[in-house]
Amino acid sequence: TGVQTCALPIYNPSIVDTLNRTARLIQSADSIVNDIVKKNIVNLVSDISTERFMIKISILQTFDDFIQGELIQSAMQKYFRSHPLNLNTIDRILSLLNSITGSVAEINNNYLVLRDRDYLIFSKKSNEVDINLKIAKTGEFKIGKFKLILKEVKKSDVKFNADPRIEYLDGDLLPNNLEIRNWIQGDSFQPLGMGTQKVSDFLTNIKMPLIDKPKVLVLKNKTDIIWLIGLRLSEKFKVTAETKSFISAEIKVLN
């Protein structure tokens, strides 16, 4: 029997040059994209912490879809040190740009992104806990990652400042037993210096991100909200010229 031979394919001699040129073009394009990402990531991302970061939607939308995806990839790797996201995940995140406020996309088991009014908020997932504590008029009380300190002080110790984490209350207006709980729809109070309004409206007016709203707690007696904790004191319980008993209320982050 004769021996069969297999003819080798014949390539155009210029194919190597073409492939080399294509590789150089791809490398150059990657360099351009990386340069765009590095120059714009700082202006694009804000409110950076180990728990979350925010991307300004109006700035993100000035780029084409591909660059938007690269910016999101870079932010996730830079601030959350995550592995590269697959294309389906990137598309799911970018779809939020055309979704209603409050829409959420799951990134993976550890992270999610929420479409707020002006931002995409990237956040670590957390197990929200319902808070409903009965507390005394004074003392130290641990609430999740925070500690609330209520103590009697002298008039000379009262030093008003712009820090909403520290407030001073008229002690004579406080009962011996108080309550700390999550705010709920329908809650209303009278913010310091303002008229009565719903808590939901107040949070909207101060532009609180949707992702933070469920975490807001209130200090109250049986009928009234005394303090939207860490945000605003009620007008009804403020210190006045007639106040004789002074209570300081301070919220501290636990290490």
Side-chain angles (χ1 to χ4, degrees):
T1 60
V3 177
Q4 292 184 339
T5 59
C6 180
L8 294 174
I10 299 174
Y11 292 103
N12 187 323
S14 66
I15 190 67
V16 174
D17 290 338
T18 301
L19 291 174
N20 286 337
R21 184 169 182 271
T22 301
R24 288 197 299 272
L25 287 172
I26 292 173
Q27 187 175 22
S28 177
D30 283 344
S31 178
I32 292 171
V33 169
N34 289 335
D35 190 49
I36 292 172
V37 169
K38 286 180 181 179
K39 286 182 177 179
N40 290 279
I41 197 74
V42 174
N43 294 327
L44 183 71
V45 181
S46 62
D47 195 28
I48 301 164
S49 71
T50 57
E51 300 293 322
R52 76 175 191 189
F53 64 85
M54 297 164 55
I55 288 181
K56 184 77 170 179
I57 291 173
S58 60
I59 298 178
L60 185 64
Q61 289 180 319
T62 62
F63 302 96
D64 66 30
D65 292 353
F66 178 76
I67 299 296
Q68 288 175 7
E70 291 300 299
L71 287 163
I72 288 171
Q73 285 276 25
S74 177
M76 284 293 296
Q77 292 175 28
K78 181 179 178 67
Y79 303 116
F80 284 162
R81 303 193 182 281
S82 74
H83 297 297
L85 306 179
N86 61 49
L87 292 179
N88 286 338
T89 301
I90 291 293
D91 288 343
R92 194 160 61 247
I93 294 170
L94 292 179
S95 72
L96 292 176
L97 297 177
N98 299 314
S99 300
I100 62 172
T101 298
S103 300
V104 175
E106 187 176 79
I107 298 175
N108 52 38
N109 291 333
N110 299 314
Y111 302 100
L112 58 80
V113 55
L114 178 141
R115 206 272 195 213
D116 208 341
R117 289 172 288 273
D118 302 313
Y119 294 89
L120 292 180
I121 303 176
F122 293 74
S123 175
K124 285 187 177 180
K125 292 181 181 179
S126 60
N127 297 321
E128 299 295 339
V129 178
D130 288 335
I131 303 296
N132 197 324
L133 298 177
K134 307 297 181 183
I135 65 170
K137 183 177 179 177
T138 58
E140 297 188 5
F141 312 96
K142 184 178 179 297
I143 317 159
K145 298 180 180 179
F146 300 92
K147 179 168 68 174
L148 174 65
I149 304 169
L150 298 171
K151 62 182 179 181
E152 294 185 37
V153 296
K154 298 177 182 178
K155 184 176 182 180
S156 58
D157 294 326
V158 176
K159 295 179 175 60
F160 295 107
N161 57 58
D163 189 346
R165 295 171 297 180
I166 304 174
E167 295 288 358
Y168 295 94
L169 315 174
D170 188 323
D172 289 331
L173 299 178
L174 301 181
N176 291 326
N177 298 306
L178 300 170
E179 177 186 0
I180 300 172
R181 66 161 170 79
N182 306 85
W183 77 279
I184 57 177
Q185 289 294 336
D187 275 347
S188 62
F189 81 127
Q190 186 178 359
L192 190 66
M194 304 172 69
T196 299
Q197 61 181 271
K198 290 183 178 180
V199 170
S200 57
D201 291 338
F202 176 82
L203 297 178
T204 297
N205 290 339
I206 65 171
K207 294 181 168 56
M208 172 165 282
L210 291 173
I211 203 166
D212 290 333
K213 287 184 178 181
K215 304 173 186 176
V216 174
L217 301 175
V218 299
L219 174 68
K220 65 184 298 291
N221 59 21
K222 287 185 177 181
T223 58
D224 293 310
I225 290 176
I226 299 165
W227 187 25
L228 209 57
I229 296 177
L231 294 173
R232 189 67 61 89
L233 181 68
S234 167
E235 176 76 17
K236 295 181 180 180
F237 298 90
K238 70 179 183 180
V239 168
T240 67
E242 288 74 39
T243 299
K244 295 180 174 57
S245 173
F246 303 86
I247 299 286
S248 71
E250 182 177 4
I251 193 79
K252 287 186 175 182
V253 178
L254 297 173
N255 294 326

